[in-house]
Structures are given as structure tokens and as C-alpha cells.
Amino acid sequence: GKVGISLRAAEDCNITENHCLANERAGIYSNEARGLNLAENHLYDNGNGILLSASNDCIVRSNHVSRNVYGISLRGSGENLLRENLMELNRYHLRIDGGEGMGVPALGSYAQDIDQSNLVDGRPVCYLVGRSGTDVPEDCGFLGLVSCREVAARNLSISNSSVGILLVNSSGCRIQNGSIDSSEKGILIQESRDCIIASCEAEGCIAGFESRDSSGIQFVANRAQGCSAEGFRLDGSLNLLLLKCSSASSNGGISLHSCRLCRVQDCSAAGNAKDGLFLSLSHKCSIVGNQATSNGRGISLAGSNACILEANSATSNQRDGISLEQLSDAEVVNNTASENGQGIFVHSSKRSRIAGNTLCNNSRYGLRMSTTTNCNITTNQICSNQIAGINLVDCTDNLLYHNIIQDNLIQNAADNGNNHWDAGAELGGNYWSDHAVMGDPGDVPRLIPGRGRDRYPFQHPGGWS
């Protein structure tokens, strides 16, 4: 059926020694129930073996839960006791979450009494609440840390869990050398502070590493591989660091949403179907020294103001190497964006500086900008792109000077707006491979197809230095 045994708004009921097989949603399901005793039931091949939804103060004891999609699910439910349950061969053994949309306080949903007598594929569930200054056993098959302080976990190997390692409202904890596979989320950090996740791997998960509403979290030398959603996802977080992490062959690589003052440094994103590195509505973040290779797009920022992109390499991405959309005050300096569809694409943005970048051998444009204003584009090398080096569409009041614009196939530049292609007689304009002049700068203007002109082009590449 849809549900084997259903208890809605029930209290103090006893459900024991039942066999619930092949039910679409759950073998045993409760909603807004209290004080249930679920014991010695056999739950096979269901959507959920046991699903407690907004149900509190229940006892779940000595159940055999096998071959379900989810073994035991506690969703928006608190203060339940789990003892001696055997979970095996489920796609995801144990699920504990806030039950999105149920109106239940998130932290209360994680206040459970679950001891190591519960087993997942023969290994103990380690669920610690309010503990401090302890180490976690290395044989855990599931790890939950709730309101914990300075707890350490090393060398865990976890598979087939809704969340392999769960940290909620915890601080100063350290997870090191963990390996999580075939789970919905490899490591989930929620409302936590100053924790370190180091040298962990998440493979074949939906999301590898996820942080929500947390601060001061450090992800160091972690690897996500083959995730169907994203390798790393950070939401609503502050002062987070991703250092030397990698995401490969996932749907999305590394993404930050509504974050502030975060730093992504020396990370790599390769072979991801969508964006290698993506920021949305994330402000004052630093993206430094990363490599984005063979993704749908390399590095993409949307609605994220005052960010710094420095010394990154974006190569062989299907669309843009670097994409900036609907943002302001970006610093895009000393990056390489080559052999992509486009090198750098800027749309509906303002007051940004694009300087010292190498934008060469892209299949379309080196630098393409649309409906963008008041940007400073200087000291870039823009060469050997297949359509044009620079293409400005409906842009105004951008200043372009001291750029090397060289050997782009169809045209070096085009502009249909009102932009400035030099910085005056003293500083001069740009170097053009298709416009010979005498002097650095010279005084024979170079006309820009469409509109605009460089009044003081240079004779030599880099003649301004």
C-alpha cells in the first residue's frame, strides 16, 4: 500500500512485532504523534521503514529495518529514544532532519537519544548530544554531533546514509580523514562555528560537503567526486574558508549562496556539468588561486558585490571562463581565462576593475561585456580569440587602456556604445596588432568598429611600461 501502519495525532500507542513490506511511503508512519512504542517490527522494501514526522517522545526499539530507501527517518521530530535497531542494506540507513516546512524548531529536531546499540550494516551509530572534549570511535557507521564542543573524529568510513557526518549547533569540532560514499550528503554542518573539516572525501553522494548558517568553518584539502548535485555547497555562511579542496565530475563544483566574507583559495573544479565555482548573492568574498577546468562554466558570480578574483585559471570550459552578472565593485585581476567559449563575460554590472588578465585562444570572445558601466579594463592580454578580442554591447562609460589586443581572428574589437578607449594623451590607449603607429603612445587614432576610437594607440606591446 501507500503506508503499512499509519498513526496520526496518536498518543501512547504500542506497535510491536508487525511485518510491513513494500509500502510506497513507509512501513510505519506517524504524524504529530507522541509517546509511541515501536518495537520488534520487521520493515522491508518500503520507502521508509519507519518515518516519524513531527512526532515526539517515542521509543523505537529492536526493529529490523532492511532494503528500504530510508531505514529510519526522524523528520521534524524530537526527544525520541532509539535502541537496538538493526538497519541493513537500505539505500540510506538513518535520516534525521528538521522536516522542512513542518514549522518545527530546527535544533529541537536533532535532540534525540540514540546510542551505539543501533547498528547500520553491523556498525554502531554514534550520536552525541551536548558532549565536549572527546574523540569519536573510528568504527562509526553514522556520526551526529549536536550541541557539541571540541569533539574530534578521525578515519571514519561511512556509506549509505542520509547524512554521513552531521554537525548541528557545534563548535571547535574537527573531522579528519573521513570517507563518505553513496549518501545524500557526505558532511552537513548547520548552525555551527569554528569547526575544521580536513582531508575528507565524499564520493557518489548527492551533495558532498554542505554548510548552512554557520561561521568560521574551515574546509581544508577535502575532495568531492561524482556528486549528482554539488561537490561543495555553502548557504548563509560567514567567514568560511575553502583551502585546497577539489570537486570533480559532479553536476556543480563549489557554490556559495548568500554568504559573506568567505575565501576560496587554491581549490580545483574539473569536469563538472554546470559551474566549477559559483557565487550568488555572496558579498566581499575572495576567490584566489583556483583552477576551473572543463566545466560548463569556469567561475561564475551573480549578484555578488565587492568580491576579489585573483590569480585564478579558467581553461577549457564549455561556456565562459569567468562570468560576472548583475554585480558591482568586483576586482578581477591577474587571472587566466583561455580556451573557453568566452574568456570573461560581464553582464549588467558596474564599477569593476578587470586588470592584468590573460584572455587568449577562446572559441568566441576574449572579453565580452553587455549593459555594463563604469568599469576599468587595463593591462590585459587579449589574443587569438576566434571571433573578437573585445566586444562591448550596449555599454557606457567604461575605460579601456594599456591592453594588448592582438591577432584575434575576425576582429580585434567592436563597440556600439559610448566608452573610452584611451586614458588621454599622457597615459595613452592600447596596443593593436592590426594598427601600425609610431610612438608609445602614437597619435594616429585606431577606429573601433561600431563606435568609438583609441586616440593614442601604442607602437609596441606593453609600450606603456
Side-chain angles (χ1 to χ4, degrees):
K2 184 84 172 179
V3 173
I5 298 172
S6 178
L7 303 108
R8 297 176 181 269
E11 294 188 11
D12 303 323
C13 296
N14 187 42
I15 301 93
T16 59
E17 298 184 15
N18 300 284
H19 290 253
C20 300
L21 312 177
N23 297 284
E24 180 183 344
R25 186 174 187 191
I28 298 174
Y29 169 70
S30 74
N31 182 56
E32 297 183 354
R34 180 176 294 275
L36 305 179
N37 180 45
L38 313 178
E40 300 182 23
N41 299 287
H42 297 264
L43 308 152
Y44 304 150
D45 300 314
N46 304 284
N48 293 265
I50 296 173
L51 171 56
L52 304 188
S53 172
S55 298
N56 303 317
D57 301 313
C58 298
I59 296 173
V60 183
R61 183 187 296 273
S62 301
N63 298 283
H64 188 196
V65 188
S66 181
R67 301 194 307 268
N68 305 281
V69 177
Y70 296 94
I72 297 176
S73 293
L74 310 179
R75 312 206 68 198
S77 302
E79 304 294 341
N80 298 291
L81 183 144
L82 276 65
R83 293 290 187 272
E84 299 174 356
N85 297 287
L86 176 60
M87 292 166 272
E88 58 184 3
L89 303 177
N90 302 287
R91 184 183 302 174
Y92 308 116
H93 294 300
L94 181 59
R95 173 168 59 169
I96 304 170
D97 62 31
E100 288 77 8
M102 296 179 182
V104 178
L107 185 56
S109 300
Y110 296 99
Q112 314 288 348
D113 185 350
I114 305 172
D115 72 2
Q116 295 185 35
S117 68
N118 299 280
L119 300 179
V120 292
D121 287 335
R123 301 167 65 194
V125 172
C126 299
Y127 199 84
L128 283 63
V129 179
R131 299 281 295 275
S132 62
T134 188
D135 289 354
V136 173
E138 293 186 5
D139 63 344
C140 292
F142 172 96
L143 176 61
L145 304 178
V146 180
S147 301
C148 290
R149 306 289 180 268
E150 299 180 0
V151 172
R154 299 177 181 87
N155 305 320
L156 301 184
S157 180
I158 295 172
S159 63
N160 300 97
S161 185
S162 180
V163 175
I165 298 175
L166 171 69
L167 281 72
V168 178
N169 189 39
S170 294
S171 65
C173 297
R174 185 180 183 96
I175 311 298
Q176 189 170 1
N177 296 328
S179 176
I180 304 98
D181 67 81
S182 306
S183 298
E184 287 191 303
K185 301 180 191 302
I187 297 178
L188 172 61
I189 302 171
Q190 186 167 322
E191 299 180 42
S192 295
R193 299 162 302 285
D194 304 322
C195 297
I196 299 174
I197 313 300
S199 302
C200 294
E201 298 185 359
E203 186 167 356
C205 300
I206 295 176
F209 300 83
E210 186 167 329
S211 171
R212 302 176 185 167
D213 303 318
S214 296
S215 63
I217 306 299
Q218 296 184 37
F219 293 94
V220 181
N222 301 293
R223 184 179 72 90
Q225 174 89 18
C227 297
S228 60
E230 291 149 314
F232 296 80
R233 182 179 176 109
L234 315 179
D235 285 270
S237 295
L238 173 70
N239 284 327
L240 266 64
L241 170 67
L242 276 81
L243 177 65
K244 297 183 178 179
C245 294
S246 68
S247 176
S249 304
S250 298
N251 191 39
I254 299 169
S255 67
L256 288 73
H257 306 270
S258 300
C259 295
R260 291 186 298 115
L261 297 169
C262 296
R263 186 176 184 89
V264 182
Q265 181 173 342
D266 297 335
C267 295
S268 67
N272 300 288
K274 293 183 178 178
D275 298 307
L277 176 55
F278 177 53
L279 278 70
S280 71
L281 302 176
S282 295
H283 308 306
K284 296 185 178 180
C285 295
S286 299
I287 313 300
V288 180
N290 304 286
Q291 294 187 344
T293 306
S294 302
N295 306 285
R297 283 189 302 193
I299 300 172
S300 178
L301 278 66
S304 300
N305 299 327
C307 292
I308 297 171
L309 286 79
E310 183 176 358
N312 301 287
S313 175
T315 59
S316 303
N317 298 287
Q318 184 177 358
R319 296 172 61 190
D320 310 315
I322 297 173
S323 174
L324 311 174
E325 299 192 47
Q326 297 181 326
L327 52 80
S328 66
D329 303 297
E331 290 278 327
V332 185
V333 294
N334 300 329
N335 301 283
T336 297
S338 297
E339 300 179 7
N340 308 285
Q342 298 181 133
I344 294 178
F345 174 61
V346 186
H347 174 67
S348 295
S349 298
K350 58 186 177 182
R351 295 192 309 273
S352 295
R353 185 167 76 101
I354 300 172
N357 302 287
T358 299
L359 313 175
C360 296
N361 299 303
N362 296 287
S363 63
R364 299 182 67 209
Y365 303 97
L367 171 64
R368 186 166 186 262
M369 302 171 63
S370 66
T371 59
T372 291
T373 62
N374 295 114
C375 294
N376 190 314
I377 295 98
T378 184
T379 63
N380 300 286
Q381 183 176 1
I382 305 171
C383 62
S384 302
N385 298 286
Q386 295 299 301
I387 296 179
I390 301 176
N391 181 251
L392 304 185
V393 179
D394 301 331
C395 296
T396 58
D397 293 322
N398 297 290
L399 176 61
L400 302 92
Y401 68 101
H402 292 183
N403 299 290
I404 298 172
I405 308 167
Q406 184 174 17
D407 299 332
N408 297 285
L409 189 60
I410 296 178
Q411 57 187 182
N412 273 328
D415 178 11
N416 72 346
N418 185 20
N419 299 287
H420 310 286
W421 288 85
D422 62 68
E426 184 174 351
L427 291 177
N430 305 278
Y431 169 78
W432 303 87
S433 63
D434 57 359
H435 185 72
V437 295
M438 296 297 293
D440 289 320
D443 58 3
V444 179
R446 201 277 190 186
L447 299 180
I448 312 300
R451 185 186 297 182
R453 62 177 180 166
D454 182 347
R455 296 172 297 171
Y456 306 103
F458 282 79
Q459 178 181 356
H460 299 103
W464 41 86
S465 60

